[in-house]
Amino acid sequence: MNYFTLNDKKKSIYKYVFDIHASMLKKSNTLKQEGVDKIKLAQYNPNTLRLVIQNKTPLKIRFFKKGKELSIKIINKSVKTKSVAVFNKYRKKSPKRLDRNKIIVIDAGHGGKDPGAIGYRKYREKIVVLSIARELKRILRARGFTVYMTRDSDRFIKLRNRTKYANRKNADIFISIHANAVGRKDAKKVCGLECYFLSTSRSSRAKKVAEMENSADLDEMDYYGKQSFLNTINSHNIVASNKLAIDLQRGALATLKSRYKNVKDAGVREGPFWVLVGAQMPSVLVEVGFITHPTEARRLVSRSYQKTMAQGLANGVERYFINSQKR
Protein backbone atom coordinates (compact mmCIF):
# COMPACT_ATOMS: atom_id res chain seq x y z
CA MET A 1 0.00 0.00 0.00
CA ASN A 2 1.17 3.56 -0.78
CA TYR A 3 0.03 6.76 0.93
CA PHE A 4 0.67 10.34 -0.23
CA THR A 5 -0.89 13.81 -0.11
CA LEU A 6 -1.74 16.35 -2.82
CA ASN A 7 -2.27 19.87 -1.47
CA ASP A 8 -3.19 23.08 -3.29
CA LYS A 9 -3.35 25.80 -0.65
CA LYS A 10 -4.35 28.52 -3.13
CA LYS A 11 -7.50 26.61 -4.12
CA SER A 12 -7.99 25.22 -0.61
CA ILE A 13 -7.89 21.58 -1.76
CA TYR A 14 -6.27 18.97 0.46
CA LYS A 15 -6.18 15.37 -0.77
CA TYR A 16 -5.04 12.29 1.16
CA VAL A 17 -4.53 9.33 -1.17
CA PHE A 18 -4.25 5.61 -0.37
CA ASP A 19 -3.24 3.19 -3.16
CA ILE A 20 -4.07 -0.40 -2.19
CA HIS A 21 -2.36 -2.93 -4.43
CA ALA A 22 -3.77 -6.09 -6.02
CA SER A 23 -7.41 -5.21 -5.43
CA MET A 24 -10.50 -5.19 -7.60
CA LEU A 25 -13.65 -3.10 -7.38
CA LYS A 26 -16.61 -3.44 -9.75
CA LYS A 27 -17.76 0.17 -9.42
CA SER A 28 -16.69 3.44 -7.79
CA ASN A 29 -18.05 4.32 -4.36
CA THR A 30 -18.52 7.77 -2.86
CA LEU A 31 -18.46 7.57 0.93
CA LYS A 32 -19.78 10.15 3.39
CA GLN A 33 -18.36 11.20 6.73
CA GLU A 34 -19.11 14.16 8.98
CA GLY A 35 -16.36 16.79 8.86
CA VAL A 36 -14.99 15.58 5.49
CA ASP A 37 -15.96 17.11 2.13
CA LYS A 38 -15.48 14.01 -0.03
CA ILE A 39 -14.29 10.41 0.20
CA LYS A 40 -14.08 8.36 -2.97
CA LEU A 41 -13.07 4.75 -3.56
CA ALA A 42 -12.38 3.61 -7.14
CA GLN A 43 -10.28 1.27 -9.28
CA TYR A 44 -7.17 3.25 -10.23
CA ASN A 45 -5.56 0.69 -12.54
CA PRO A 46 -5.81 -3.10 -12.96
CA ASN A 47 -3.65 -3.69 -9.89
CA THR A 48 -4.53 -0.78 -7.63
CA LEU A 49 -7.57 0.44 -5.72
CA ARG A 50 -7.44 4.15 -4.82
CA LEU A 51 -9.10 5.82 -1.81
CA VAL A 52 -9.09 9.66 -1.87
CA ILE A 53 -10.07 11.79 1.13
CA GLN A 54 -10.59 15.43 0.09
CA ASN A 55 -11.27 18.50 2.21
CA LYS A 56 -11.12 22.31 2.05
CA THR A 57 -9.06 22.46 5.25
CA PRO A 58 -6.13 20.32 6.39
CA LEU A 59 -6.89 17.01 8.07
CA LYS A 60 -4.84 14.92 10.45
CA ILE A 61 -4.74 11.36 9.14
CA ARG A 62 -3.87 8.25 11.12
CA PHE A 63 -4.01 4.75 9.65
CA PHE A 64 -2.81 1.21 10.22
CA LYS A 65 -3.00 -2.14 8.44
CA LYS A 66 -3.55 -5.52 10.02
CA GLY A 67 -3.74 -8.47 7.68
CA LYS A 68 -6.50 -7.74 5.18
CA GLU A 69 -7.91 -4.84 7.17
CA LEU A 70 -7.11 -1.14 6.75
CA SER A 71 -8.21 1.35 9.42
CA ILE A 72 -8.12 5.10 8.85
CA LYS A 73 -8.86 7.80 11.42
CA ILE A 74 -9.36 11.50 10.75
CA ILE A 75 -9.00 14.53 13.00
CA ASN A 76 -10.53 17.72 11.61
CA LYS A 77 -9.60 20.55 13.95
CA SER A 78 -11.66 23.16 12.08
CA VAL A 79 -14.98 21.43 12.88
CA LYS A 80 -13.86 19.85 16.15
CA THR A 81 -14.34 16.31 14.88
CA LYS A 82 -12.13 14.34 17.24
CA SER A 83 -11.58 10.97 15.65
CA VAL A 84 -13.56 9.07 13.03
CA ALA A 85 -13.03 5.59 11.61
CA VAL A 86 -13.51 6.08 7.88
CA PHE A 87 -12.46 2.87 6.24
CA ASN A 88 -12.17 0.30 8.97
CA LYS A 89 -12.48 -2.94 7.08
CA TYR A 90 -11.57 -3.86 3.55
CA ARG A 91 -11.10 -7.38 2.33
CA LYS A 92 -9.08 -7.73 -0.83
CA LYS A 93 -10.77 -9.50 -3.68
CA SER A 94 -8.71 -11.43 -6.17
CA PRO A 95 -8.86 -9.74 -9.57
CA LYS A 96 -9.97 -11.70 -12.57
CA ARG A 97 -6.92 -13.58 -13.75
CA LEU A 98 -5.34 -11.70 -16.64
CA ASP A 99 -4.18 -13.81 -19.57
CA ARG A 100 -0.52 -12.82 -19.77
CA ASN A 101 0.19 -15.14 -22.68
CA LYS A 102 0.50 -12.08 -24.89
CA ILE A 103 3.24 -10.85 -27.22
CA ILE A 104 4.07 -7.15 -27.22
CA VAL A 105 6.44 -5.41 -29.63
CA ILE A 106 7.83 -2.06 -28.50
CA ASP A 107 9.30 0.27 -31.08
CA ALA A 108 11.71 3.02 -29.95
CA GLY A 109 11.35 5.70 -32.63
CA HIS A 110 14.16 6.91 -34.89
CA GLY A 111 17.75 5.77 -34.12
CA GLY A 112 21.18 5.72 -35.74
CA LYS A 113 21.51 8.33 -38.48
CA ASP A 114 17.99 9.58 -37.67
CA PRO A 115 18.13 11.47 -34.33
CA GLY A 116 14.45 12.39 -34.39
CA ALA A 117 13.59 15.75 -32.84
CA ILE A 118 16.38 17.87 -31.34
CA GLY A 119 14.92 19.67 -28.35
CA TYR A 120 15.72 21.79 -25.34
CA ARG A 121 19.47 21.78 -24.55
CA LYS A 122 19.91 19.63 -27.67
CA TYR A 123 18.30 16.59 -26.07
CA ARG A 124 17.75 13.95 -28.77
CA GLU A 125 14.48 12.12 -29.24
CA LYS A 126 16.11 8.84 -30.24
CA ILE A 127 17.97 8.60 -26.91
CA VAL A 128 14.98 9.50 -24.70
CA VAL A 129 12.54 7.10 -26.34
CA LEU A 130 15.01 4.20 -26.29
CA SER A 131 15.40 4.61 -22.51
CA ILE A 132 11.62 4.62 -21.98
CA ALA A 133 11.17 1.64 -24.33
CA ARG A 134 13.78 -0.39 -22.47
CA GLU A 135 12.15 0.38 -19.12
CA LEU A 136 8.71 -0.54 -20.49
CA LYS A 137 10.10 -3.85 -21.76
CA ARG A 138 11.59 -4.60 -18.32
CA ILE A 139 8.32 -3.87 -16.50
CA LEU A 140 6.12 -5.83 -18.89
CA ARG A 141 8.44 -8.84 -18.81
CA ALA A 142 8.42 -8.72 -15.01
CA ARG A 143 4.61 -8.85 -15.20
CA GLY A 144 4.73 -12.03 -17.27
CA PHE A 145 4.32 -10.80 -20.85
CA THR A 146 6.51 -11.75 -23.82
CA VAL A 147 8.16 -8.57 -25.08
CA TYR A 148 10.35 -7.76 -28.09
CA MET A 149 11.91 -4.48 -29.25
CA THR A 150 12.42 -3.41 -32.84
CA ARG A 151 15.72 -1.85 -31.74
CA ASP A 152 17.56 -2.18 -28.43
CA SER A 153 20.49 0.02 -29.43
CA ASP A 154 21.19 3.23 -31.34
CA ARG A 155 20.62 1.96 -34.86
CA PHE A 156 18.50 3.01 -37.81
CA ILE A 157 15.59 0.83 -38.94
CA LYS A 158 13.32 1.75 -41.84
CA LEU A 159 9.80 2.51 -40.70
CA ARG A 160 8.16 -0.14 -42.84
CA ASN A 161 10.42 -2.83 -41.33
CA ARG A 162 9.24 -2.11 -37.80
CA THR A 163 5.70 -3.42 -38.24
CA LYS A 164 7.07 -6.23 -40.43
CA TYR A 165 9.06 -7.32 -37.40
CA ALA A 166 5.95 -7.17 -35.20
CA ASN A 167 4.04 -9.26 -37.75
CA ARG A 168 6.82 -11.88 -37.80
CA LYS A 169 6.62 -12.12 -34.02
CA ASN A 170 2.82 -12.55 -34.19
CA ALA A 171 2.48 -9.66 -31.75
CA ASP A 172 -0.82 -8.97 -29.99
CA ILE A 173 -0.08 -5.23 -29.85
CA PHE A 174 2.54 -2.84 -31.28
CA ILE A 175 3.60 0.33 -29.42
CA SER A 176 5.82 2.92 -31.10
CA ILE A 177 7.35 5.45 -28.69
CA HIS A 178 8.25 9.00 -29.78
CA ALA A 179 8.77 12.49 -28.38
CA ASN A 180 7.06 15.49 -29.94
CA ALA A 181 8.54 18.87 -30.90
CA VAL A 182 7.60 22.36 -32.05
CA GLY A 183 9.54 25.39 -33.26
CA ARG A 184 11.43 27.71 -30.91
CA LYS A 185 8.64 30.29 -31.07
CA ASP A 186 6.14 27.93 -29.38
CA ALA A 187 8.58 25.82 -27.37
CA LYS A 188 7.55 27.21 -23.98
CA LYS A 189 3.83 27.03 -24.74
CA VAL A 190 3.23 23.56 -26.18
CA CYS A 191 3.49 20.44 -24.03
CA GLY A 192 1.58 17.27 -23.16
CA LEU A 193 1.25 13.54 -23.62
CA GLU A 194 -0.75 12.22 -26.57
CA CYS A 195 -1.45 8.88 -28.25
CA TYR A 196 -2.16 8.33 -31.94
CA PHE A 197 -3.71 5.47 -33.85
CA LEU A 198 -3.57 5.01 -37.62
CA SER A 199 -6.04 6.70 -39.95
CA THR A 200 -6.06 8.96 -42.99
CA SER A 201 -6.97 11.93 -40.79
CA ARG A 202 -6.24 15.30 -42.35
CA SER A 203 -6.45 17.45 -39.21
CA SER A 204 -3.70 20.06 -39.23
CA ARG A 205 -2.22 18.90 -35.91
CA ALA A 206 -2.15 15.23 -36.94
CA LYS A 207 -0.60 16.10 -40.31
CA LYS A 208 2.20 18.13 -38.70
CA VAL A 209 3.08 15.40 -36.21
CA ALA A 210 2.85 12.67 -38.85
CA GLU A 211 5.01 14.55 -41.34
CA MET A 212 7.73 14.89 -38.70
CA GLU A 213 7.62 11.22 -37.70
CA ASN A 214 7.25 10.00 -41.30
CA SER A 215 10.12 12.07 -42.69
CA ALA A 216 12.79 9.36 -42.37
CA ASP A 217 11.18 7.15 -45.04
CA LEU A 218 8.76 9.33 -46.97
CA ASP A 219 11.08 12.08 -48.18
CA GLU A 220 11.52 10.32 -51.52
CA MET A 221 7.79 10.11 -52.21
CA ASP A 222 6.14 13.07 -53.88
CA TYR A 223 2.99 14.63 -52.41
CA TYR A 224 0.56 12.74 -54.66
CA GLY A 225 2.33 9.47 -53.96
CA LYS A 226 1.89 9.99 -50.22
CA GLN A 227 -1.80 10.78 -50.53
CA SER A 228 -2.48 7.77 -52.77
CA PHE A 229 -0.66 5.49 -50.35
CA LEU A 230 -2.47 6.76 -47.28
CA ASN A 231 -5.84 6.36 -48.98
CA THR A 232 -5.20 2.60 -49.26
CA ILE A 233 -4.80 2.07 -45.50
CA ASN A 234 -6.68 -0.97 -44.23
CA SER A 235 -9.06 -0.05 -41.40
CA HIS A 236 -9.15 -3.59 -40.00
CA ASN A 237 -7.61 -2.74 -36.60
CA ILE A 238 -8.58 0.91 -36.26
CA VAL A 239 -11.25 0.35 -33.58
CA ALA A 240 -9.00 -1.86 -31.45
CA SER A 241 -6.10 0.55 -31.90
CA ASN A 242 -8.29 3.43 -30.75
CA LYS A 243 -9.15 1.50 -27.57
CA LEU A 244 -5.48 0.66 -26.99
CA ALA A 245 -4.53 4.34 -27.38
CA ILE A 246 -7.19 5.38 -24.85
CA ASP A 247 -6.01 2.82 -22.28
CA LEU A 248 -2.34 3.78 -22.70
CA GLN A 249 -3.18 7.47 -22.38
CA ARG A 250 -5.21 6.91 -19.22
CA GLY A 251 -2.61 4.64 -17.66
CA ALA A 252 0.31 6.99 -18.32
CA LEU A 253 -1.52 10.13 -17.20
CA ALA A 254 -2.84 8.61 -13.97
CA THR A 255 0.59 7.34 -12.94
CA LEU A 256 2.44 10.54 -13.88
CA LYS A 257 -0.09 12.82 -12.17
CA SER A 258 0.27 10.90 -8.92
CA ARG A 259 3.92 12.02 -8.71
CA TYR A 260 4.32 15.14 -10.86
CA LYS A 261 2.50 18.46 -11.10
CA ASN A 262 1.11 20.05 -14.27
CA VAL A 263 1.14 16.92 -16.44
CA LYS A 264 -0.93 17.83 -19.49
CA ASP A 265 -3.33 15.54 -21.33
CA ALA A 266 -2.95 16.39 -25.02
CA GLY A 267 -5.50 13.75 -26.01
CA VAL A 268 -5.96 10.63 -28.12
CA ARG A 269 -5.86 11.39 -31.83
CA GLU A 270 -5.83 9.74 -35.21
CA GLY A 271 -3.25 10.35 -37.90
CA PRO A 272 -1.47 8.98 -41.02
CA PHE A 273 1.64 7.45 -39.45
CA TRP A 274 3.80 5.37 -41.78
CA VAL A 275 5.36 3.40 -38.88
CA LEU A 276 1.91 1.92 -38.05
CA VAL A 277 1.04 0.93 -41.62
CA GLY A 278 0.99 -2.79 -42.26
CA ALA A 279 0.58 -3.83 -38.64
CA GLN A 280 -1.66 -6.88 -38.40
CA MET A 281 -2.46 -6.12 -34.75
CA PRO A 282 -3.74 -3.10 -32.77
CA SER A 283 -0.98 -0.50 -32.96
CA VAL A 284 -0.41 2.96 -31.53
CA LEU A 285 2.17 5.74 -31.55
CA VAL A 286 2.79 7.36 -28.17
CA GLU A 287 4.19 10.90 -28.03
CA VAL A 288 5.57 10.87 -24.48
CA GLY A 289 5.90 14.66 -24.36
CA PHE A 290 7.46 17.65 -26.09
CA ILE A 291 11.23 17.50 -26.03
CA THR A 292 11.24 21.18 -26.97
CA HIS A 293 9.36 22.28 -23.84
CA PRO A 294 11.86 23.23 -21.06
CA THR A 295 10.06 21.58 -18.15
CA GLU A 296 8.86 18.54 -20.08
CA ALA A 297 12.27 18.01 -21.70
CA ARG A 298 14.06 18.03 -18.34
CA ARG A 299 11.58 15.44 -17.11
CA LEU A 300 11.94 13.27 -20.20
CA VAL A 301 15.70 12.89 -19.69
CA SER A 302 15.21 12.06 -16.00
CA ARG A 303 15.48 8.36 -15.15
CA SER A 304 12.79 8.60 -12.46
CA TYR A 305 10.34 10.23 -14.90
CA GLN A 306 11.16 7.66 -17.59
CA LYS A 307 10.44 4.85 -15.13
CA THR A 308 7.17 6.47 -14.05
CA MET A 309 6.14 6.94 -17.69
CA ALA A 310 6.96 3.30 -18.46
CA GLN A 311 5.01 2.11 -15.43
CA GLY A 312 1.97 4.11 -16.55
CA LEU A 313 2.17 2.70 -20.08
CA ALA A 314 2.48 -0.82 -18.64
CA ASN A 315 -0.63 -0.18 -16.55
CA GLY A 316 -2.38 0.92 -19.75
CA VAL A 317 -1.35 -2.29 -21.49
CA GLU A 318 -2.86 -4.35 -18.67
CA ARG A 319 -6.02 -2.24 -18.72
CA TYR A 320 -6.36 -2.89 -22.47
CA PHE A 321 -5.99 -6.66 -22.11
CA ILE A 322 -8.40 -6.77 -19.17
CA ASN A 323 -10.99 -4.79 -21.14
CA SER A 324 -10.44 -7.07 -24.14
CA GLN A 325 -11.22 -10.13 -21.97
CA LYS A 326 -14.55 -8.55 -20.99
CA ARG A 327 -15.62 -8.05 -24.59
Side-chain angles (χ1 to χ4, degrees):
M1 187 196 76
N2 293 332
Y3 169 70
F4 59 93
T5 60
L6 298 169
N7 300 330
D8 188 337
K9 294 181 180 179
K10 291 182 179 179
K11 296 182 180 179
S12 294
I13 297 176
Y14 297 83
K15 292 183 179 181
Y16 306 84
V17 184
F18 294 82
D19 280 346
I20 306 161
H21 302 307
S23 302
M24 187 60 64
L25 190 71
K26 291 184 178 179
K27 64 179 182 178
S28 300
N29 292 324
T30 300
L31 310 175
K32 293 183 179 181
Q33 185 62 55
E34 183 182 357
V36 181
D37 293 339
K38 184 187 295 185
I39 304 172
K40 189 169 183 180
L41 179 66
Q43 195 71 37
Y44 173 60
N45 65 43
N47 295 313
T48 306
L49 190 69
R50 172 164 287 185
L51 175 71
V52 179
I53 301 169
Q54 181 176 322
N55 207 53
K56 293 178 182 177
T57 56
L59 300 170
K60 193 172 182 180
I61 302 292
R62 294 286 182 267
F63 65 91
F64 62 91
K65 273 185 69 181
K66 185 178 180 181
K68 295 182 179 180
E69 293 183 3
L70 171 64
S71 294
I72 302 172
K73 292 187 176 182
I74 295 174
I75 298 174
N76 189 342
K77 295 180 180 179
S78 64
V79 295
K80 297 181 180 179
T81 300
K82 290 183 178 180
S83 184
V84 182
V86 176
F87 192 51
N88 58 17
K89 187 172 183 181
Y90 174 71
R91 186 169 297 276
K92 290 184 179 180
K93 296 180 181 179
S94 299
K96 183 178 180 181
R97 185 176 295 275
L98 173 61
D99 178 11
R100 297 179 185 273
N101 187 28
K102 303 290 185 183
I103 298 172
I104 301 162
V105 170
I106 303 169
D107 171 52
H110 308 282
K113 67 179 182 180
D114 175 19
I118 306 296
Y120 177 72
R121 292 185 177 176
K122 296 186 178 180
Y123 297 146
R124 291 174 294 173
E125 178 183 1
K126 69 173 184 177
I127 303 299
V128 168
V129 300
L130 180 58
S131 294
I132 294 173
R134 284 172 171 168
E135 187 62 28
L136 179 57
K137 177 186 75 171
R138 184 191 67 79
I139 294 170
L140 288 172
R141 281 187 172 177
R143 295 185 184 185
F145 296 102
T146 300
V147 186
Y148 300 100
M149 292 179 63
T150 57
R151 70 176 184 96
D152 201 6
S153 61
D154 185 17
R155 63 192 183 99
F156 177 76
I157 302 173
K158 288 187 175 182
L159 297 180
R160 61 181 175 271
N161 290 336
R162 299 179 186 231
T163 48
K164 282 184 179 180
Y165 176 79
N167 291 339
R168 287 200 304 272
K169 293 296 183 182
N170 294 314
D172 291 284
I173 59 173
F174 175 82
I175 303 170
S176 187
I177 301 177
H178 293 254
N180 220 330
V182 292
R184 185 176 298 179
K185 178 183 175 182
D186 298 316
K188 293 183 179 180
K189 303 176 187 175
V190 183
C191 62
L193 172 75
E194 53 193 353
C195 287
Y196 285 87
F197 60 98
L198 183 66
S199 86
T200 56
S201 169
R202 297 296 190 272
S203 73
S204 59
R205 183 183 180 91
K207 282 180 67 176
K208 286 179 182 178
V209 176
E211 283 172 6
M212 182 171 60
E213 303 298 2
N214 290 341
S215 61
D217 273 12
L218 290 183
D219 282 345
E220 296 179 1
M221 296 175 66
D222 62 22
Y223 173 82
Y224 294 104
K226 291 179 186 179
Q227 299 307 308
S228 298
F229 172 76
L230 291 171
N231 284 332
T232 65
I233 290 174
N234 191 324
S235 61
H236 176 66
N237 281 310
I238 286 181
V239 173
S241 297
N242 187 6
K243 291 176 180 177
L244 174 59
I246 291 170
D247 287 331
L248 290 179
Q249 184 82 357
R250 287 177 176 171
L253 285 170
T255 306
L256 289 170
K257 285 182 176 181
S258 70
R259 301 183 189 181
Y260 296 89
K261 294 181 179 179
N262 302 320
V263 176
K264 183 180 177 183
D265 179 5
V268 172
R269 304 172 185 275
E270 50 187 325
F273 291 91
W274 173 238
V275 71
L276 302 180
V277 170
Q280 295 172 4
M281 72 294 298
S283 56
V284 298
L285 184 145
V286 182
E287 295 282 3
V288 293
F290 281 77
I291 202 167
T292 44
H293 187 274
T295 299
E296 208 156 62
R298 284 194 293 267
R299 287 178 173 178
L300 286 171
V301 298
S302 158
R303 288 294 297 144
S304 60
Y305 193 81
Q306 290 171 359
K307 288 180 179 180
T308 306
M309 173 71 74
Q311 180 149 20
L313 292 173
N315 292 341
V317 168
E318 289 201 348
R319 181 198 296 265
Y320 171 77
F321 286 132
I322 285 174
N323 289 338
S324 297
Q325 286 180 182
K326 293 176 182 176
R327 292 190 284 270

